[in-house]
Amino acid sequence: MRLQGRSRSKRVFFRKGGAAERASFSPQGGNERFEACDDAMMKKVYICSPLGGDVADNLEQAKRYTKYALMCGTAPVVPHFYALCLNDRNAKEREIGMAAGLSLLWFCDEIWVFGNTVTDGMKGEISFCKNLNIRIRHVTEAEIRAKMGGKTA
């Protein structure tokens, strides 16, 4: 299946009887124990929101945005949580976290942009998505409240 210039497979293979496993295909066969399940794959969305500055508060917001994405039926990719083990105020560690986050974008179907402020780091992520033809969605506070029933956390 081709999505906006990138090749992606939407197939997940489950071993008959339950546990998910990556199927290996060989000309010799042996794949009969796997069943293809196209609908099992959740859309992967990259959570794009501010982190620097008030890191503790921004992490709380990222948790809220993650919950919103989960409630929308997606599998959120949240690079903000690297700040729990890396120091965002240390330039080298911030660069490591940003590079790791950007590498995750290759696997995402969409990027969801949250908040009223677009930081330099967010601009870089959005630009990267434009280059990869990844759909960019701006999520409003009203959408979050509507989905979460007015809950803030």
Side-chain angles (χ1 to χ4, degrees):
M1 182 164 100
R2 203 107 168 102
L3 290 178
Q4 299 179 350
R6 293 178 300 148
S7 177
R8 275 200 198 200
S9 173
K10 285 271 187 186
R11 287 197 182 249
V12 175
F13 293 87
F14 290 92
R15 177 180 269 191
K16 289 183 181 174
E21 226 179 275
R22 184 177 291 193
S24 62
F25 295 97
S26 69
Q28 293 80 25
N31 304 319
E32 59 279 348
R33 65 185 190 169
F34 294 97
E35 294 177 22
C37 181
D38 288 330
D39 296 328
M41 184 74 76
M42 296 172 87
K43 182 188 325 182
K44 293 173 290 304
V45 299
Y46 186 96
I47 303 299
C48 179
S49 68
L51 177 63
D54 188 348
V55 174
D57 185 55
N58 289 336
L59 280 172
E60 285 303 311
Q61 287 300 318
K63 285 172 33 179
R64 183 169 170 256
Y65 302 148
T66 300
K67 182 175 180 178
Y68 169 78
L70 286 165
M71 292 179 73
C72 288
T74 68
V77 175
V78 192
H80 297 75
F81 298 135
Y82 294 148
L84 297 175
C85 57
L86 297 172
N87 181 355
D88 192 62
R89 291 191 172 98
N90 177 308
K92 184 175 180 170
E93 289 187 19
R94 178 173 174 77
E95 184 178 327
I96 291 168
M98 290 292 296
L102 287 176
S103 71
L104 294 173
L105 274 170
W106 286 94
F107 302 106
C108 292
D109 300 301
E110 296 180 7
I111 185 170
W112 287 8
V113 181
F114 293 89
N116 296 325
T117 303
V118 177
T119 65
D120 288 340
M122 293 169 66
K123 287 176 186 173
E125 293 166 337
I126 293 166
S127 175
F128 195 71
C129 286
K130 287 178 181 175
N131 290 334
L132 292 176
N133 293 320
I134 294 174
R135 182 176 180 261
I136 300 166
R137 176 180 171 210
H138 294 270
V139 181
T140 66
E141 188 62 33
E143 289 175 276
I144 297 169
R145 279 194 302 270
K147 178 58 96 175
M148 295 176 56
K151 297 177 188 166
T152 58

